[in-house]
Amino acid sequence: MRQTGRQSRRPERRTPPTAAELAKVHERTLADAAARELALPETGGPAAPGRLEPRPEIGDSWARLRRLGLDPDTGAAAVLLGPAELEQRRRSSGLDNVVPVLRETLLGPVGQAPLILAIADAEGHVLWQEGERGLRRSADRIGFVTGARWIEESVGTNGIGVALRAQRPMHVHSAEHYLRSHHTWTCVAAPVHDPATGRLVGAINLSGPAHNVRPYLLQLTATAARLAETELRAHRLEALNQLRTLAAPLLARVGGPALVVDAAGWTAASAGLPPPSRLRVPSEGWAPAAVHWVPGLGDCVLEPLADGWLVRPVRPAADGGPDGPGTVSAERAEGARLRLDLRRPDRPELSVRGAADSWSHPVSPRHAELLLLLATTREGSTAAQLARALFGDAGRTVTVRAELSRLRRYLGGLLAHRPYRFADSVLVTVEGPEDPLDLLPASTAPAVRRLRTELVAGLVRLPGAGVPGPPDAARSVPPPRTASSAPGPVPGPPPRTAGERGAGGQPPASRAASWASVGPQSRSASAETSA
């Protein structure tokens, strides 16, 4: 009997692809990319319903490595750390204190299972590696050894490289590796951040045979990374207590308000003023015996003390106003220059230079996303528009307002609201990475992903890029060149600034003429961040 009415949908695939299926996806994707470069018909043809494609993060990695010209058969030449540099990196990473607990957590539960535990620093150097002996001999043959730098640019798509780049737990299985020599392996990795500064300090990785993959390894590795951060936090609190013991008698002899903070800005002790939980330390650090403007305190004299600083306000920050003490007032915002530096994927940085003071410090990934959206939509956005641009959900306004409230604690008069935007007098520059695909690579925000695509295509440029100025002025991001590209001017209209086209359904920002006033005369990074 023929079925009538609405036909049922084919159920979505719930089982993960096999190694053989991933291998087919790998070969088809690389062949299609090569065909596009040579202007030949693609081997796979148009995407058919149900056609298996690489995961977005894996596909993005493959596309980036193709642009870099990495050979999937050979990779890049391996460079190993010498014994002295290896030992120095182990100590400076701070991870040497957590190796015993990681070894017990990750290798203990799996017993004699064929697994390798590797701990890498933030630059991808493998600092420690141990596990089943036979498997380690197999790892030696692909260069997965202590001292090797396991980043995508050298060894293709892999667990450590992808986790460090995306800054979240990741797994790379079988033919999801870019190099064919790695297709018999599966890797899971999770990043580790310093709880004191939020800085990325390394990654924890478990690797084993692709045919012996276990579904719980990703959760186990992510849990181990959180455990490592807990151990790092415990060591920081112990050091802070030691500094507090040293600071108490010193503060008793200081005339006037003062406080003692550690190297990361966390308060150990204070006298004569309400102690903030943490001061924001500039990215380039503080210079001793100099007056610095400190958000939350105003102008202060700073003196080095053991593993921290003695901070003495000499001109208290003005109280009152919606922004609170120590933030940038509306008067100070007049003519201020704000620079969002996104050149380093793992360390976004914000610099503010005004008439009376300047400061710079790293920002969190979420704040970097918000600042980028505000910089590219100068006419302003509502909380709902920002929520849609960040999460694809206009209803998540509570989260957006909470993050913007945190930003106002140190931006103050630089950040206006109703709608949310930078003050009209603020000169804004965004410095992006050389490869547009490296723009906040950990971000999955719809507006950021769309901005990357438009930058690669040369349709837009970042605010402050390509405006008239001296030779060192902020540069625009050029469109990628392919094998079929010919020298000469590119036909068609010039690329717009990202602010001209809006983001995620937000209202369009000011036109190119307005951006000419927004793009300041660029200076060196040291000049931007000097106190």
Side-chain angles (χ1 to χ4, degrees):
M1 182 177 183
R2 176 176 297 177
Q3 183 179 0
T4 59
R6 180 180 300 176
Q7 295 183 356
S8 60
R9 292 181 55 190
R10 177 178 296 178
E12 296 182 359
R13 176 172 183 160
R14 297 182 179 274
T15 58
T18 64
E21 290 173 324
L22 290 175
K24 292 179 180 178
V25 172
H26 182 274
E27 298 305 320
R28 186 188 69 237
T29 303
L30 297 187
D32 288 349
R36 284 192 297 270
E37 292 179 359
L38 298 175
L40 298 175
E42 296 186 3
T43 60
R51 171 174 166 175
L52 190 61
E53 298 289 343
R55 289 184 288 146
E57 56 269 24
I58 300 299
D60 289 348
S61 175
W62 290 356
R64 177 170 171 269
L65 295 174
R66 287 287 302 177
R67 285 165 55 86
L68 293 176
L70 187 68
D71 191 327
D73 289 315
T74 60
V79 178
L80 299 182
L81 297 177
E85 186 178 359
L86 177 62
E87 188 60 32
Q88 188 275 332
R89 284 183 173 271
R90 283 176 170 177
R91 291 196 302 268
S92 62
S93 70
L95 294 172
D96 52 342
N97 296 317
V98 302
V99 170
V101 68
L102 292 178
R103 182 186 299 117
E104 180 181 353
T105 302
L106 294 175
L107 295 183
V110 295
Q112 298 300 316
L115 285 174
I116 290 178
L117 165 64
I119 302 173
D121 64 10
E123 285 74 40
H125 297 99
V126 179
L127 302 182
W128 292 272
Q129 187 221 52
E130 54 187 90
E132 198 266 334
R133 183 178 302 177
L135 194 59
R136 293 184 67 184
R137 286 196 294 267
S138 298
D140 291 347
R141 290 193 286 270
I142 62 172
F144 190 39
V145 296
T146 303
R149 194 176 187 196
W150 214 249
I151 58 174
E152 292 177 283
E153 292 82 354
S154 298
V155 294
T157 310
N158 68 91
I160 292 176
V162 173
L164 289 175
R165 179 176 165 83
Q167 295 198 38
R168 64 178 184 271
M170 299 291 295
H171 75 276
V172 179
H173 177 58
S174 187
E176 289 184 326
H177 290 89
Y178 185 76
L179 297 191
R180 293 184 175 93
S181 58
H182 299 177
H183 287 186
T184 58
W185 292 81
T186 188
C187 306
V188 295
V192 179
H193 295 84
D194 184 350
T197 63
R199 181 175 57 90
L200 180 69
V201 296
I204 300 169
N205 177 84
L206 284 176
S207 296
H211 66 271
N212 200 26
V213 62
R214 289 171 171 79
Y216 63 80
L217 289 182
L218 184 63
Q219 291 79 6
L220 178 63
T221 308
T223 301
R226 304 293 81 77
L227 179 60
E229 293 174 352
T230 301
E231 289 290 316
L232 293 175
R233 184 180 294 107
H235 285 283
R236 180 186 65 81
L237 293 176
E238 182 180 352
L240 199 63
N241 286 331
Q242 294 176 355
L243 183 60
R244 184 175 296 114
T245 302
L246 178 65
L250 176 64
L251 289 177
R253 298 193 301 268
V254 173
L259 71 157
V260 173
V261 299
D262 67 6
W266 293 93
T267 301
S270 67
L273 74 166
S277 59
R278 184 189 180 190
L279 300 181
R280 292 190 173 272
V281 180
S283 299
E284 71 277 12
W286 281 323
V291 176
H292 295 265
W293 184 81
V294 179
L297 294 179
D299 291 331
C300 300
V301 173
L302 295 102
E303 302 175 21
L305 173 67
D307 293 328
W309 294 87
L310 173 64
V311 183
R312 293 185 296 166
V314 295
R315 189 174 65 188
D319 294 329
D323 301 329
T327 56
V328 182
S329 64
E331 292 76 13
R332 287 187 172 186
E334 186 69 29
R337 293 184 54 180
L338 185 147
R339 181 171 65 97
L340 181 61
D341 189 348
L342 304 179
R343 291 174 295 179
R344 290 187 54 180
D346 61 332
R347 193 175 176 83
E349 182 175 297
L350 177 67
S351 301
V352 175
R353 187 176 183 87
D357 45 58
S358 63
W359 53 267
S360 64
H361 60 78
V363 294
S364 69
R366 180 65 73 208
H367 284 179
E369 291 174 330
L370 275 170
L371 291 168
L372 178 61
L373 294 180
L374 292 172
T376 55
T377 316
R378 287 302 301 272
E379 290 186 356
S381 303
T382 65
Q385 289 169 336
L386 287 172
R388 186 183 302 112
L390 282 175
F391 309 110
D393 180 3
R396 298 186 61 177
T397 57
V398 173
T399 302
V400 169
R401 290 193 178 99
E403 295 295 342
L404 287 169
S405 178
R406 296 185 182 99
L407 277 174
R408 284 181 62 84
R409 292 177 186 174
Y410 54 91
L411 286 179
L414 300 178
L415 185 60
H417 57 95
R418 296 179 183 175
Y420 294 107
R421 65 197 186 280
F422 288 119
D424 294 337
S425 61
V426 179
L427 304 179
V428 178
T429 300
V430 179
E431 296 193 25
E434 292 184 4
D435 189 338
L437 293 177
D438 283 332
L439 181 70
L440 296 180
S443 174
T444 58
V448 176
R449 292 178 62 89
R450 183 162 49 252
L451 179 58
R452 290 191 205 116
T453 302
E454 293 177 347
L455 287 170
V456 169
L459 300 177
V460 299
R461 60 174 181 259
L462 294 174
V467 297
D472 63 342
R475 50 155 174 61
S476 60
V477 179
R481 298 193 63 182
T482 63
S484 59
S485 299
V490 178
R496 301 168 292 166
T497 62
E500 289 185 74
R501 57 97 181 94
Q506 300 173 10
S510 54
R511 307 299 299 173
S514 301
W515 274 119
S517 64
V518 173
Q521 302 295 319
S522 177
R523 302 170 71 174
S524 64
S526 58
E528 287 281 354
T529 58
S530 61

